[in-house]
Amino acid sequence: MARTPTPAGTDAEREKSKRVGALGELRPFLVPYKWMAVLAGLALVLTAGVSLTLPLAVRRVIDSFGSDSVAILDQYFGAALGLAALLAVGTGLRYALVTRLGERVVADIRKAVFDRIISMSPAFFERIMTGEVLSRITTDTTLILSVIGSSISVALRNVLILFGGMIFMLFTSAKLTGLVLLIVPAVIIPILTLGRRLRAQSRENQDWIAASSGSASEALLSVQTVQAFTHESQTRAEFSDVTEKSYDVARRRITTRAAMTVIVIFLVFAGVVGVLWVGARDVRGGIMSPGALVQFVFYAVMVAGSVAALSEIWGELQRAAGATERLIELLRAEDAVQDPADPVPLPETVKGEIRFEGVGFSYPSRPDISALEHVDLVINPGETVALVGPSGAGKTTIIQMIQRFYDPQTGRVCLDGVDLRDMRRDAFRRVMALVPQDPVIFAASARENIRFGWPEASDAEVESAARAANAHEFITGLPAGYDSYVGERGVMLSGGQKQRIAIARAILRDAPVLLLDEATSALDAESERAVQLAVDELAQNRTTVIVAHRLATVKKADRIVVMEGGRIVATGTHDALVAEGGLYARLAKLQFTDGSGAA
């Protein structure tokens, strides 16, 4: 909480695309619904065509004022009414199809981004805040929804009206149309110039919104710590600072867009007024009929309106282009850990032998510090091995390497003789059960949290696992028992209760490889003993790796591996290691005596 988040998009990244063409990246999401898009396009052409036909009817009506035939006048008004009905139906159909298309495409984009991110290794989340990812999935996709569900459709309709109107204007009066064309360069130049600046500002605005979401997410997920250390004022100030920067960029974007709108609309309508002045003089001189002038006025207003609308929509397209870039960055993000193209299948019967062969590893965020240094370790099938040592010795890193959350820079990690990098991650992780140091509890019922270990488990199997983890008694004491909602991150449970649910989850998984990372650290002495008995029972005939600071929990392990500074410095049983002296003996002396006697 001591740092102020910065937006992930750098200036270099924003230079990647200075054009709305970035929206072309959405094509793969549109292709499955091409027929819906085609129907929407046909409805769009229909409505644009009807709109362009209406001024012709108006001209006929005005020029027929000099005729004595009322029937002709009635026919023209009837035709105009029919065109209006056709325009209404076509517009409604276009809206329904385009809006549905937008919702469908954005739902697919959200799922694609989430599917990609949920499988990324932990190294990815060292570079980006979770709140920023959520901002991209929500805020950025909302912008894309606005564009696909509205802006693109409106833009295409205005393009058709612009060119169709220009053609009809040319047939109505070539002279007046020529004068109108003189205005076009004056309108296009500010659109292109200011539009480029607007795109960069829109992208920066979205980056700061994401940074603001990341800051808020981090603070709210740690709200108890923030309050415990009376850090509310600093946290408010940091969030306010990021939010104000987001507002400043938004203010500049709004100013740029407003300036572009003012310039374009003034130039367009000033030109139209000038052209109409010339047309009015031609009517007085008998060069053109009043109906022709009115028809030309209608088309001129339609063309001017379409240009003004396109200048507005251009800003929306610029923002959506930036949002698209950000989402595509997530979809194309390279994961440091990849499944092989031709994976080796998991053995039908997993014995559970784990082998580290010359493993060296440094975390991506700390490349100069070795987390593991030339580690050679063989854990035999069914063996219980405890990893002990001071904080930062590399114990938890061993657990993470076994699950292949990271790949070693040197050496390899094998399961039953097969390099983990040669198998699919979801294949070998299915035969592992984990109890992490910080138990993860989901915003669901106690029953569903335990069933997370094995989704197909029956209620009886869930309750059996809870009994084995010494969790049944406190769960039945909850207001709704196993169906009690435990709150976000298990906020309604104590630390020990959360840990027991996590252990029950691992027991229910019934996997050949069991990984316990400080599994009993949050339990009181009585609960720890009960859970330890359950773990001892569970560990039979399973390969079990236990990380523990409290040596009392590992005395019964088949083998104890002592680690320091990323290296294995000793291995053996509790009694043998105590007799050896060294690091383990010192730790045992501190924990089992007052620090002055023997272990």
Coordinates of all heavy atoms in Angstrom, one line a residue, residues 265-320:
I265 N -18.7 21.2 -36.7 CA -20.1 21.6 -36.8 C -20.1 23.1 -37.4 O -20.9 23.4 -38.3 CB -20.8 21.5 -35.5 CG1 -21.0 20.0 -35.2 CG2 -22.2 22.2 -35.6 CD1 -21.7 19.8 -33.8
F266 N -19.3 24.0 -36.9 CA -19.3 25.3 -37.4 C -19.0 25.4 -38.9 O -19.6 26.0 -39.7 CB -18.3 26.2 -36.6 CG -18.3 27.6 -37.2 CD1 -19.3 28.5 -37.0 CD2 -17.2 28.0 -38.0 CE1 -19.2 29.8 -37.5 CE2 -17.1 29.3 -38.5 CZ -18.1 30.2 -38.3
L267 N -17.9 24.7 -39.3 CA -17.5 24.7 -40.7 C -18.5 24.1 -41.6 O -18.8 24.6 -42.6 CB -16.2 23.9 -40.8 CG -14.9 24.6 -40.2 CD1 -13.7 23.6 -40.4 CD2 -14.6 25.9 -40.9
V268 N -19.2 23.0 -41.1 CA -20.2 22.3 -41.9 C -21.4 23.2 -42.1 O -21.8 23.5 -43.3 CB -20.6 21.0 -41.3 CG1 -21.9 20.5 -41.9 CG2 -19.5 20.0 -41.4
F269 N -21.9 23.8 -41.1 CA -23.2 24.5 -41.2 C -22.9 25.9 -41.8 O -23.8 26.5 -42.4 CB -23.9 24.6 -39.8 CG -24.6 23.3 -39.5 CD1 -24.0 22.4 -38.7 CD2 -25.9 23.1 -40.1 CE1 -24.7 21.2 -38.4 CE2 -26.5 21.9 -39.8 CZ -25.9 20.9 -39.0
A270 N -21.7 26.5 -41.5 CA -21.4 27.8 -42.1 C -21.3 27.6 -43.7 O -21.8 28.4 -44.4 CB -20.1 28.3 -41.6
G271 N -20.8 26.5 -44.1 CA -20.7 26.2 -45.5 C -22.1 26.0 -46.1 O -22.4 26.4 -47.2
V272 N -23.0 25.3 -45.4 CA -24.3 25.0 -45.8 C -25.1 26.3 -46.0 O -25.8 26.6 -47.0 CB -25.1 24.1 -44.9 CG1 -26.6 24.0 -45.2 CG2 -24.5 22.7 -44.9
V273 N -24.9 27.2 -45.0 CA -25.6 28.5 -45.1 C -25.2 29.3 -46.3 O -26.0 29.9 -47.0 CB -25.3 29.4 -43.8 CG1 -25.8 30.8 -44.0 CG2 -26.0 28.7 -42.6
G274 N -23.8 29.3 -46.6 CA -23.3 30.0 -47.8 C -23.9 29.4 -49.0 O -24.3 30.1 -50.0
V275 N -23.9 28.0 -49.1 CA -24.5 27.4 -50.3 C -26.0 27.7 -50.5 O -26.4 28.0 -51.6 CB -24.2 25.9 -50.2 CG1 -25.0 25.1 -51.3 CG2 -22.8 25.6 -50.3
L276 N -26.7 27.7 -49.4 CA -28.1 28.0 -49.5 C -28.4 29.5 -50.0 O -29.4 29.8 -50.7 CB -28.8 27.8 -48.1 CG -28.9 26.3 -47.7 CD1 -29.6 26.2 -46.4 CD2 -29.7 25.5 -48.7
W277 N -27.5 30.3 -49.6 CA -27.6 31.8 -50.0 C -27.5 31.8 -51.5 O -28.3 32.5 -52.2 CB -26.5 32.6 -49.3 CG -26.5 34.0 -49.8 CD1 -27.4 35.0 -49.6 CD2 -25.5 34.6 -50.6 NE1 -27.0 36.2 -50.1 CE2 -25.8 36.0 -50.8 CE3 -24.3 34.1 -51.2 CZ2 -25.1 36.8 -51.6 CZ3 -23.5 35.0 -51.9 CH2 -23.9 36.3 -52.1
V278 N -26.5 31.1 -52.1 CA -26.4 31.0 -53.5 C -27.6 30.4 -54.2 O -28.2 30.8 -55.2 CB -25.1 30.3 -53.9 CG1 -25.0 30.1 -55.4 CG2 -23.9 30.9 -53.4
G279 N -28.1 29.3 -53.6 CA -29.3 28.6 -54.1 C -30.5 29.5 -54.1 O -31.3 29.5 -55.0
A280 N -30.7 30.2 -53.0 CA -31.9 31.1 -52.9 C -31.9 32.2 -54.1 O -32.9 32.5 -54.6 CB -31.9 31.8 -51.6
R281 N -30.7 32.7 -54.4 CA -30.6 33.6 -55.5 C -30.9 32.9 -56.8 O -31.5 33.6 -57.7 CB -29.2 34.2 -55.5 CG -28.9 35.1 -54.3 CD -27.4 35.5 -54.3 NE -27.2 36.5 -55.4 CZ -27.3 37.8 -55.3 NH1 -27.8 38.3 -54.1 NH2 -27.1 38.6 -56.3
D282 N -30.6 31.7 -57.0 CA -30.9 31.0 -58.2 C -32.4 30.8 -58.4 O -32.9 30.8 -59.5 CB -30.2 29.6 -58.2 CG -28.7 29.7 -58.5 OD1 -28.2 30.8 -58.9 OD2 -27.9 28.7 -58.3
V283 N -33.1 30.5 -57.2 CA -34.5 30.3 -57.3 C -35.2 31.6 -57.7 O -36.1 31.7 -58.6 CB -35.1 29.9 -55.9 CG1 -36.6 29.9 -55.9 CG2 -34.6 28.5 -55.6
R284 N -34.7 32.7 -57.1 CA -35.3 34.1 -57.5 C -35.0 34.4 -59.0 O -35.8 35.0 -59.7 CB -34.7 35.1 -56.6 CG -35.2 35.1 -55.2 CD -34.5 36.2 -54.4 NE -35.0 37.5 -54.9 CZ -36.1 38.1 -54.5 NH1 -36.9 37.5 -53.6 NH2 -36.5 39.3 -55.0
G285 N -33.9 33.8 -59.5 CA -33.6 34.1 -60.9 C -34.2 33.1 -61.8 O -34.0 33.1 -63.0
G286 N -35.0 32.1 -61.3 CA -35.6 31.1 -62.1 C -34.8 30.0 -62.6 O -35.2 29.2 -63.5
I287 N -33.5 29.9 -62.1 CA -32.6 28.9 -62.6 C -33.0 27.5 -62.0 O -32.8 26.5 -62.7 CB -31.2 29.2 -62.1 CG1 -30.8 30.5 -62.8 CG2 -30.2 28.1 -62.5 CD1 -29.4 31.1 -62.3
M288 N -33.6 27.4 -60.8 CA -34.0 26.2 -60.2 C -35.4 26.4 -59.5 O -35.7 27.5 -59.2 CB -33.0 25.6 -59.3 CG -32.7 26.4 -58.0 SD -31.3 25.8 -57.0 CE -31.8 24.1 -56.8
S289 N -36.2 25.3 -59.4 CA -37.5 25.4 -58.8 C -37.4 25.4 -57.3 O -36.4 24.9 -56.7 CB -38.3 24.2 -59.2 OG -37.8 23.0 -58.6
P290 N -38.4 25.9 -56.6 CA -38.4 25.9 -55.1 C -38.3 24.5 -54.6 O -37.6 24.2 -53.6 CB -39.7 26.5 -54.7 CG -40.1 27.4 -55.9 CD -39.6 26.6 -57.1
G291 N -39.0 23.5 -55.2 CA -38.9 22.1 -54.8 C -37.5 21.6 -54.8 O -37.0 20.8 -53.9
A292 N -36.8 21.9 -55.9 CA -35.4 21.5 -56.1 C -34.5 22.0 -55.0 O -33.6 21.4 -54.5 CB -34.9 21.8 -57.5
L293 N -34.7 23.3 -54.7 CA -33.9 23.9 -53.6 C -34.2 23.3 -52.3 O -33.3 23.0 -51.5 CB -34.2 25.4 -53.6 CG -33.5 26.2 -52.4 CD1 -31.9 26.1 -52.6 CD2 -33.9 27.7 -52.4
V294 N -35.5 23.0 -52.0 CA -35.8 22.4 -50.7 C -35.2 21.0 -50.7 O -34.7 20.5 -49.7 CB -37.4 22.3 -50.6 CG1 -37.7 21.4 -49.4 CG2 -37.9 23.7 -50.4
Q295 N -35.3 20.3 -51.9 CA -34.7 18.9 -51.9 C -33.2 19.0 -51.6 O -32.6 18.2 -50.9 CB -34.9 18.3 -53.3 CG -34.2 17.0 -53.5 CD -34.4 16.4 -54.9 OE1 -35.6 16.4 -55.4 NE2 -33.4 15.9 -55.5
F296 N -32.5 20.0 -52.3 CA -31.1 20.2 -52.0 C -30.8 20.5 -50.6 O -29.8 20.0 -50.0 CB -30.5 21.3 -53.0 CG -29.0 21.4 -52.9 CD1 -28.2 20.6 -53.8 CD2 -28.4 22.3 -52.0 CE1 -26.9 20.7 -53.7 CE2 -27.0 22.3 -52.0 CZ -26.2 21.6 -52.8
V297 N -31.7 21.4 -50.0 CA -31.5 21.7 -48.6 C -31.6 20.5 -47.7 O -30.7 20.3 -46.8 CB -32.5 22.8 -48.2 CG1 -32.5 22.9 -46.6 CG2 -32.3 24.1 -48.8
F298 N -32.5 19.6 -48.0 CA -32.7 18.4 -47.2 C -31.4 17.6 -47.3 O -30.9 17.1 -46.3 CB -33.9 17.6 -47.7 CG -35.2 17.9 -46.9 CD1 -36.1 18.9 -47.3 CD2 -35.5 17.2 -45.8 CE1 -37.2 19.1 -46.6 CE2 -36.6 17.4 -45.1 CZ -37.5 18.4 -45.5
Y299 N -31.0 17.4 -48.5 CA -29.8 16.5 -48.7 C -28.5 17.2 -48.0 O -27.7 16.5 -47.4 CB -29.5 16.3 -50.2 CG -30.4 15.2 -50.7 CD1 -31.2 15.5 -51.9 CD2 -30.5 14.0 -50.1 CE1 -32.0 14.5 -52.4 CE2 -31.4 13.0 -50.7 CZ -32.1 13.3 -51.8 OH -32.9 12.3 -52.3
A300 N -28.5 18.5 -48.1 CA -27.3 19.2 -47.5 C -27.3 19.1 -46.0 O -26.3 18.9 -45.4 CB -27.4 20.7 -47.9
V301 N -28.5 19.2 -45.4 CA -28.6 19.1 -44.0 C -28.3 17.6 -43.6 O -27.6 17.4 -42.6 CB -30.1 19.4 -43.5 CG1 -30.3 19.0 -42.1 CG2 -30.3 20.9 -43.7
M302 N -28.8 16.6 -44.4 CA -28.5 15.2 -44.1 C -27.0 15.0 -44.2 O -26.4 14.3 -43.3 CB -29.2 14.3 -45.0 CG -30.8 14.3 -44.8 SD -31.7 13.4 -46.1 CE -31.1 11.7 -45.7
V303 N -26.3 15.5 -45.2 CA -24.9 15.3 -45.3 C -24.2 16.0 -44.2 O -23.2 15.5 -43.6 CB -24.4 15.9 -46.7 CG1 -22.9 15.9 -46.8 CG2 -24.9 15.0 -47.8
A304 N -24.6 17.2 -43.9 CA -23.9 18.0 -42.8 C -24.1 17.2 -41.5 O -23.2 17.1 -40.7 CB -24.5 19.4 -42.7
G305 N -25.3 16.7 -41.3 CA -25.6 16.0 -40.0 C -24.8 14.7 -39.9 O -24.3 14.4 -38.9
S306 N -24.6 14.1 -41.1 CA -23.8 12.8 -41.1 C -22.3 13.1 -40.8 O -21.7 12.4 -40.1 CB -24.0 12.1 -42.4 OG -23.4 12.8 -43.5
V307 N -21.8 14.2 -41.4 CA -20.4 14.6 -41.1 C -20.2 14.9 -39.6 O -19.3 14.5 -39.0 CB -20.0 15.8 -42.0 CG1 -18.6 16.3 -41.5 CG2 -20.0 15.4 -43.4
A308 N -21.2 15.7 -39.0 CA -21.1 16.0 -37.6 C -21.2 14.8 -36.8 O -20.4 14.6 -35.8 CB -22.2 17.0 -37.3
A309 N -22.1 13.8 -37.2 CA -22.2 12.6 -36.4 C -21.0 11.8 -36.5 O -20.5 11.2 -35.5 CB -23.4 11.8 -36.9
L310 N -20.4 11.7 -37.7 CA -19.1 10.9 -37.9 C -18.0 11.5 -37.0 O -17.2 10.8 -36.5 CB -18.7 10.9 -39.3 CG -19.6 10.0 -40.2 CD1 -19.3 10.2 -41.7 CD2 -19.4 8.5 -39.8
S311 N -18.0 12.8 -36.9 CA -16.9 13.4 -36.0 C -17.1 13.0 -34.6 O -16.1 12.8 -33.8 CB -16.9 15.0 -36.2 OG -18.1 15.5 -35.6
E312 N -18.4 12.9 -34.1 CA -18.6 12.5 -32.8 C -18.3 11.0 -32.6 O -17.6 10.6 -31.7 CB -20.1 12.7 -32.5 CG -20.5 14.1 -32.2 CD -20.2 14.5 -30.8 OE1 -20.2 13.7 -29.9 OE2 -19.8 15.7 -30.6
I313 N -18.7 10.2 -33.6 CA -18.5 8.8 -33.5 C -17.0 8.4 -33.6 O -16.5 7.5 -33.0 CB -19.3 8.0 -34.7 CG1 -20.8 8.2 -34.4 CG2 -18.9 6.6 -34.7 CD1 -21.6 7.8 -35.6
W314 N -16.3 9.3 -34.3 CA -14.8 9.1 -34.5 C -14.2 9.0 -33.1 O -13.3 8.2 -32.9 CB -14.2 10.2 -35.3 CG -12.8 10.0 -35.6 CD1 -11.7 10.6 -35.1 CD2 -12.2 9.0 -36.5 NE1 -10.5 10.2 -35.6 CE2 -10.8 9.2 -36.5 CE3 -12.7 8.1 -37.4 CZ2 -9.9 8.5 -37.3 CZ3 -11.8 7.4 -38.2 CH2 -10.5 7.6 -38.1
G315 N -14.6 9.9 -32.2 CA -14.1 9.9 -30.9 C -14.4 8.6 -30.1 O -13.5 8.0 -29.4
E316 N -15.6 8.1 -30.3 CA -16.0 6.8 -29.7 C -15.1 5.7 -30.3 O -14.7 4.8 -29.5 CB -17.5 6.5 -29.9 CG -18.4 7.5 -29.1 CD -18.3 7.3 -27.6 OE1 -18.0 6.1 -27.2 OE2 -18.4 8.3 -26.9
L317 N -14.9 5.7 -31.6 CA -14.1 4.7 -32.2 C -12.7 4.7 -31.7 O -12.0 3.7 -31.5 CB -14.2 4.8 -33.7 CG -15.5 4.6 -34.4 CD1 -15.4 4.8 -35.9 CD2 -16.1 3.2 -34.0
Q318 N -12.2 5.9 -31.5 CA -10.8 6.1 -30.9 C -10.7 5.4 -29.6 O -9.7 4.7 -29.3 CB -10.5 7.6 -30.9 CG -10.3 8.3 -32.2 CD -9.0 8.0 -32.9 OE1 -8.1 7.4 -32.3 NE2 -8.9 8.5 -34.1
R319 N -11.7 5.7 -28.7 CA -11.6 5.1 -27.4 C -11.7 3.6 -27.4 O -11.0 2.9 -26.7 CB -12.8 5.7 -26.5 CG -12.7 7.2 -26.2 CD -13.8 7.6 -25.2 NE -13.5 7.0 -23.9 CZ -14.3 6.9 -22.9 NH1 -15.6 7.3 -23.1 NH2 -14.0 6.4 -21.7
A320 N -12.6 3.1 -28.3 CA -12.8 1.7 -28.4 C -11.6 1.0 -29.0 O -11.2 -0.1 -28.6 CB -14.0 1.4 -29.3

